[in-house]
Amino acid sequence: MKKNRLGASELYVGEIGLGCMSLGTEETKAVALIGEALDRGVTLLDTADLYDGGRNEELVGKAISGRREQVVLATKVGNRRVPGQEGWTWDASKSYILSAVRDSLKRLGTDYIDLYQLHGGTLDDPIDDTIEAFEQLKREGVIRAYGISSIRPNVIREYAARSGIASVMNQYSIVDRRAEETVLPLLAEKGIGVIARGPVASGALANGREPAKGVLDYELDELVALRGALHRLTSPARSLSQLAIRYSLGHPAVAAAVPGASSREQLLQNLAAAEAPPLSDAELEAIRGVSKANRYALHR
């Protein structure tokens, strides 16, 4: 699998990673899926302390035991669970980040994290203190690089201007092209790597799965029509899922795409995109011609 450098960091990631959120909580199945992904060339695993109340990190830790050096391990912080309360609260404070990383390390069964990401972020956060927390962890060798996972352009601009982030994880697909006008050009200019999440749009662009509802500003009939138009752009070498993943990888700012998988079939469909030919400029333009720039507003 082709590897790309993640921003200005020392991390090199396979262009197709695995978003671990949808693995489920059954240990045997989850560990097997991650193991097969690693066997097939995946290096980037993305999880978060929020997923399944920390259980996802535990499963990732079990799966990479004995294989840690093969993996670029990414996790996230900022959503704080309060014992005895439902849900979670947002906490981007330095003290919380320095505390939460220890819990993630324990669940992951490792003594360092390759990419530690702020799991959101707002303009009301103590941004300088948040940045200092990540910089301190980097100096201490607890993390190798840091980034943010956000769809908020104004937040991304602040971190791009004020911090040493290596990456931004951003939702980006054929049906969610919001980042093309704002986020992606900025990050390409700054040399910050983009990790594209949701390239098959929660299955809306997956092989053999007819959508049951619309996505973002696509009504169901529009989404069905889009899939029909995209099918005419597929080939024996590039299925609909693979076309969608290659589209996300087609932007020069994107270092990796991280589709999720809850079954071996989905995993293999996604990873086959690594062998599919990249999209030409003409093909990218054809896809943009049958899709649309989204009306759905980006969050502040």
Side-chain angles (χ1 to χ4, degrees), residues 164-292:
I165 56 172
S167 63
V168 172
M169 179 173 286
N170 195 267
Q171 188 167 300
Y172 179 48
S173 71
I174 293 171
V175 299
D176 189 352
R177 295 173 48 204
R178 293 175 290 175
E180 288 180 347
E181 293 185 6
T182 53
V183 174
L184 298 185
L186 168 68
L187 298 178
E189 177 187 343
K190 294 284 189 178
I192 297 168
V194 174
I195 301 173
R197 65 177 177 87
V200 295
S202 300
L205 300 176
N207 301 338
R209 292 177 61 184
E210 293 302 320
K213 60 181 180 179
V215 176
L216 291 180
D217 58 348
Y218 282 84
E219 300 294 338
L220 179 58
D221 60 339
E222 293 178 305
L223 185 57
V224 170
L226 173 65
R227 284 174 59 98
L230 293 174
H231 272 298
R232 292 190 285 275
L233 298 173
T234 62
S235 70
R238 204 163 46 207
S239 70
L240 180 59
S241 294
Q242 293 147 25
L243 182 83
I245 292 170
R246 294 288 357 158
Y247 180 84
S248 296
L249 290 169
H251 195 285
V254 175
V258 286
S262 58
S263 69
R264 183 173 186 268
E265 179 185 12
Q266 290 175 7
L267 176 69
L268 297 183
Q269 284 182 1
N270 294 339
L271 295 186
E275 305 300 325
L279 295 168
S280 66
D281 289 343
E283 289 171 318
L284 290 168
E285 282 303 314
I287 291 171
R288 294 184 186 112
V290 299
S291 61
K292 57 185 177 182

